[in-house]
Amino acid sequence: MSDENKSKRRDFLFTTTYTIGAVGLASAIWPLIDQMNPDSSVKALSTTEVDISSVEPGKTITVLWRGKPIFIRRRTEEEIKEAAAVDLNDLKDPEKDSDRAKNPEWLVMVGVCTHLGCVPLNDKGDYNAWFCPCHGSHYDTSGRIRKGPAPKNLEIPKYEFVDNNTIKIG
Amino acid sequence: MSETKYIPKSKLAQWFDSRLPLLTLSHHLTEYPTPKNLNYWWTFGGILTFCLITQIVTGLVLAMHYVAHVDYAFESIEHIMRDVNYGWLIRYVHANGASMFFLAVYIHIFRSLYYGSYKSPREVIWIIGLIIYILMMATAFMGYVLPWGQMSFWGATVITNLFSAIPLIGESITTWLWGGYSVDNPTLNRFYSLHYLLPFLTFGLVILHIWALHVPGNNNPTGIDIKKNSNETMPFHPYMVMKDLFALLLFVAVFLWFVFFAPNVLGHPDNYIEANPLVTPAHIVPEWYLLPFYAILRAIPSKLGGVIFMFSAIFILMLLPWLDTSKIRSAVFRPIYRKLFWVLVFTVILLGYLGAKPPDGIYLILSRLGTAYYFIHFLILLPLLGRYEKTDPLPMSISDPVLDKPGVLDKVKKAALKYEGENVGSFK
């Protein structure tokens, strides 16, 4: 066996050893990292059913879903009209109201300001809809950002109407 | 630390090193001269460091999910086992890791006893090591309480009640330890706090242990002093690092066998029943690594006496460098001590076995004999041996025993010669 060949064999052994070692180390470290992700008991709570039969028009209820507040507003005719009438060019994050509310009467949104995570106040601000007290973001009757530092509209969670009186969120 | 003074190559490194000599330290650790005749019993220091780090890392993670409250502790352990991603794995590694830690530390301690590593000039290393061992036992005990199962609760009750044996102030000490009139929520909380703290103290002591080791350097199987930086030593890196890593791999294989195939075999099923202050399990036993001391405790027919003997069994080891008066370190050259060493190993294992048995009949008699022998070994036999034992002649250097007689190494070389023919030149 020549010296040249020998060094090649050595190199191969080094490389395979380091590779196997790195794979082993990574697979040992992964459980230590993954344990910080949401666990099964958290994931099991990923849907919430809400009874909306007692909500009057013009009122908002707040429910908790995955630790976050969810606004469920029964909008008045006036608010629906106002939301539909907005010119999309005036919006920072253009979205049609009909895309945001499956049933125009009910607006379901994650009640977390898209700026830095505070909870906006109901029936406040320049559009008399939602206003975030932390850094002054104004949202309209469709929960769209109109003024202030927030970059996006209030998020719409995945939800469906189970029947006329129940919404399933998640 | 007899190496020549190290000066880093680059200007920047010199600037930094003269302000904080980390590079000098790293150079010292890589070049640290180790005797070339160290055998595999010397790899357990590295293995123990690995165990401590594993316990700290997995413990850190478990603390993110555990709740130290009597109403939630047991539930939170089940939550870790069932819900948390890989929680079962992390907890089993932590629980079996404690056993593996003790397995390694016992081998490490008995290696020290066999090769006389506790003798001058290494007494301080030995004593620091024993303090680490005592801290390990305290940490393990408090960790075992945290799952708040039946064994946790009653183990905590029994061990804390040991202090009530102290005359006059005993009762108030136990009340103080408990933070109440029985083991309860305050006890659980303080145990959790201390269980988190002690490993870091241990880590600090490990650094002192290694520092104290690096002053005289390693002992070796012949027990004779070596000439540093001669052909009798090899730099720690890569030679000892590779050997330690190989031993560690074998150790981890055993470790993982327990974790994946028998995760509960070293535990006790009663600890999967939530703590109940009204019902004591029929048969209380501590974890296996505490059993020899538990046997000593029960062998003495007096509450205070049992406690005194049990603690003495540990603290007597602190005096070992002075109780063993022999000038010869290694048992290899001490024919009588070599036999007594194995008798001691047998006695300790026997006591461990007896600690798991009910304390009556033949078990009690054997416990008493074992306890008596344990103390006789250290207090009578060792001081006398130093005077009267006729030791074998020591070799002139650590190379002699290998060069003089055909050993295993030579047999391997011969076999290799036959096998590889002319390529054997590379085998040296």
Side-chain angles (χ1 to χ4, degrees):
Chain A
M1 210 187 282
S2 71
D3 279 354
E4 203 187 326
N5 277 340
K6 226 181 251 172
S7 80
K8 273 182 185 164
R9 188 175 69 168
R10 256 302 136 87
D11 290 345
F12 173 75
L13 287 173
F14 271 129
T15 312
T16 42
T17 309
Y18 286 139
T19 310
I20 300 285
V23 170
L25 201 64
S27 47
I29 288 172
W30 174 244
L32 298 171
I33 294 169
D34 192 37
Q35 54 86 19
M36 284 172 77
N37 275 321
D39 64 41
S40 316
S41 67
V42 173
K43 285 181 193 152
L45 298 176
S46 57
T47 61
T48 304
E49 291 197 3
V50 187
D51 178 12
I52 51 169
S53 55
S54 58
V55 185
E56 301 287 328
K59 293 284 173 206
T60 303
I61 59 164
T62 306
V63 296
L64 210 59
W65 173 68
R66 284 187 172 175
K68 287 179 189 169
I70 299 292
F71 293 154
I72 301 176
R73 184 172 181 89
R74 186 166 185 181
R75 294 191 292 188
T76 58
E77 284 298 321
E78 214 171 292
E79 286 169 343
I80 297 170
K81 256 184 228 156
E82 200 180 314
V86 175
D87 181 359
L88 287 189
N89 293 324
D90 292 347
L91 296 173
K92 199 177 189 180
D93 179 13
E95 242 182 324
K96 276 193 249 167
D97 183 59
S98 54
D99 291 340
R100 291 177 59 80
K102 288 179 187 173
N103 173 347
E105 198 182 357
W106 294 97
L107 184 63
V108 181
M109 304 185 298
V110 177
V112 174
C113 179
T114 57
H115 181 220
L116 293 171
C118 297
V119 179
L121 304 169
N122 289 319
D123 304 322
K124 289 270 160 49
D126 293 0
Y127 298 87
N128 201 25
W130 286 277
F131 168 71
C132 181
C134 288
H135 306 94
S137 292
H138 301 256
Y139 297 90
D140 67 14
T141 51
S142 186
R144 292 173 294 201
I145 179 66
R146 302 299 290 271
K147 194 175 154 196
K152 289 201 170 300
N153 303 334
L154 289 176
E155 191 195 330
I156 307 292
K158 195 176 156 230
Y159 68 93
E160 59 187 62
F161 289 90
V162 179
D163 55 47
N164 284 339
N165 292 329
T166 318
I167 296 181
K168 188 172 123 189
I169 303 166
Chain B
M1 304 211 190
S2 60
E3 300 107 286
T4 48
K5 187 156 169 50
Y6 166 74
I7 297 159
K9 284 201 186 77
S10 82
K11 271 265 155 53
L12 179 66
Q14 281 174 21
W15 178 88
F16 183 80
D17 200 57
S18 61
R19 280 151 183 83
L20 180 64
L22 281 183
L23 294 166
T24 301
L25 177 66
S26 135
H27 177 262
H28 163 77
L29 291 176
T30 49
E31 295 299 316
Y32 171 66
T34 46
K36 63 182 179 183
N37 61 340
L38 295 188
N39 57 32
Y40 271 101
W41 301 115
W42 261 265
T43 58
F44 282 86
I47 287 172
L48 283 161
T49 313
F50 168 82
C51 286
L52 177 60
I53 292 169
T54 305
Q55 290 305 88
I56 289 178
V57 171
T58 51
L60 202 70
V61 163
L62 290 171
M64 294 179 187
H65 304 281
Y66 172 75
V67 184
H69 187 284
V70 289
D71 293 339
Y72 304 106
F74 189 80
E75 213 175 285
S76 73
I77 297 291
E78 284 310 305
H79 165 70
I80 290 169
M81 295 301 288
R82 292 155 196 258
D83 296 339
V84 174
N85 304 321
Y86 294 103
W88 59 273
L89 176 64
I90 294 159
R91 176 163 175 264
Y92 277 153
V93 167
H94 195 73
N96 286 283
S99 279
M100 293 300 117
F101 204 164
F102 277 96
L103 176 69
V105 92
Y106 281 126
I107 295 173
H108 194 63
I109 291 172
F110 276 112
R111 190 270 288 155
S112 233
L113 291 179
Y114 190 83
Y115 294 111
S117 300
Y118 49 84
K119 289 187 195 182
S120 173
R122 298 186 179 82
E123 303 95 320
V124 172
I125 313 174
W126 172 251
I127 290 170
I128 293 173
L130 286 173
I131 298 171
I132 293 173
Y133 172 53
I134 293 166
L135 277 184
M136 277 173 64
M137 290 196 284
T139 312
F141 158 66
M142 288 191 276
Y144 195 57
V145 175
L146 303 185
W148 210 242
Q150 275 288 67
M151 278 293 160
S152 301
F153 183 87
W154 293 102
T157 302
V158 170
I159 300 291
T160 47
N161 261 314
L162 290 178
F163 294 92
S164 72
I166 303 167
L168 301 175
I169 52 166
E171 289 294 332
S172 18
I173 287 182
T174 30
T175 308
W176 176 74
L177 285 174
W178 289 336
Y181 301 99
S182 65
V183 173
D184 208 336
N185 200 43
T187 327
L188 178 61
N189 263 307
R190 64 192 60 183
F191 277 17
Y192 182 49
S193 166
L194 293 172
H195 182 72
Y196 207 111
L197 167 72
L198 295 188
F200 295 99
L201 290 187
T202 307
F203 196 83
L205 284 169
V206 167
I207 291 173
L208 291 185
H209 192 61
I210 296 171
W211 185 1
L213 168 72
H214 280 228
V215 175
N218 289 78
N219 184 27
N220 68 78
T222 65
I224 60 174
D225 289 326
I226 52 159
K227 296 185 276 294
K228 277 188 190 171
N229 298 317
S230 66
N231 66 354
E232 295 183 352
T233 65
M234 296 187 307
F236 184 71
H237 184 77
Y239 300 101
M240 285 304 149
V241 169
M242 277 301 142
K243 187 171 181 172
D244 280 358
L245 273 180
F246 180 64
L248 179 64
L249 275 181
L250 298 180
F251 182 81
V252 167
V254 175
F255 191 151
L256 292 184
W257 181 82
F258 277 106
V259 169
F260 289 115
F261 297 101
N264 288 308
V265 80
L266 296 169
H268 203 289
D270 274 354
N271 222 30
Y272 282 100
I273 302 168
E274 191 168 3
N276 180 353
L278 300 177
V279 183
T280 308
H283 189 48
I284 296 198
V285 265
E287 294 285 81
W288 69 267
Y289 38 81
L290 301 175
L291 285 173
F293 300 109
Y294 194 58
I296 292 176
L297 170 75
R298 298 189 307 180
I300 309 297
S302 130
K303 187 174 174 180
L304 181 59
V307 174
I308 289 175
F309 270 78
M310 187 183 73
F311 282 109
S312 308
I314 301 167
F315 284 98
I316 201 171
L317 295 170
M318 298 261 186
L319 301 175
L320 184 58
W322 298 277
L323 288 172
D324 183 353
T325 51
S326 176
K327 291 279 178 285
I328 308 298
R329 292 198 192 102
S330 174
V332 173
F333 305 103
R334 300 181 63 190
I336 303 175
Y337 176 71
R338 196 161 65 229
K339 292 193 181 74
L340 292 183
F341 168 82
W342 289 110
V343 177
L344 181 72
V345 172
F346 172 77
T347 309
V348 171
I349 293 173
L350 176 72
L351 283 172
Y353 167 77
L354 295 168
K357 294 286 164 195
D360 44 37
I362 182 73
Y363 299 130
L364 187 58
I365 296 168
L366 286 174
S367 299
R368 287 181 179 163
L369 289 175
T371 303
Y373 182 78
Y374 182 91
F375 285 97
I376 288 170
H377 174 93
F378 289 109
L379 290 176
I380 299 174
L381 297 180
L382 285 189
L384 288 181
L385 270 192
R387 284 195 169 184
Y388 299 110
E389 187 179 26
K390 193 178 172 325
T391 55
D392 295 338
L394 291 176
M396 292 301 291
S397 84
I398 61 171
S399 308
D400 284 359
V402 185
L403 296 175
D404 279 358
K405 52 184 178 187
V408 180
L409 195 66
D410 299 77
K411 281 178 196 160
V412 172
K413 267 187 187 167
K414 240 182 216 168
L417 195 69
K418 256 187 196 166
Y419 184 70
E420 281 202 22
E422 75 277 11
N423 287 326
V424 82
S426 60
F427 186 72
K428 263 188 291 191

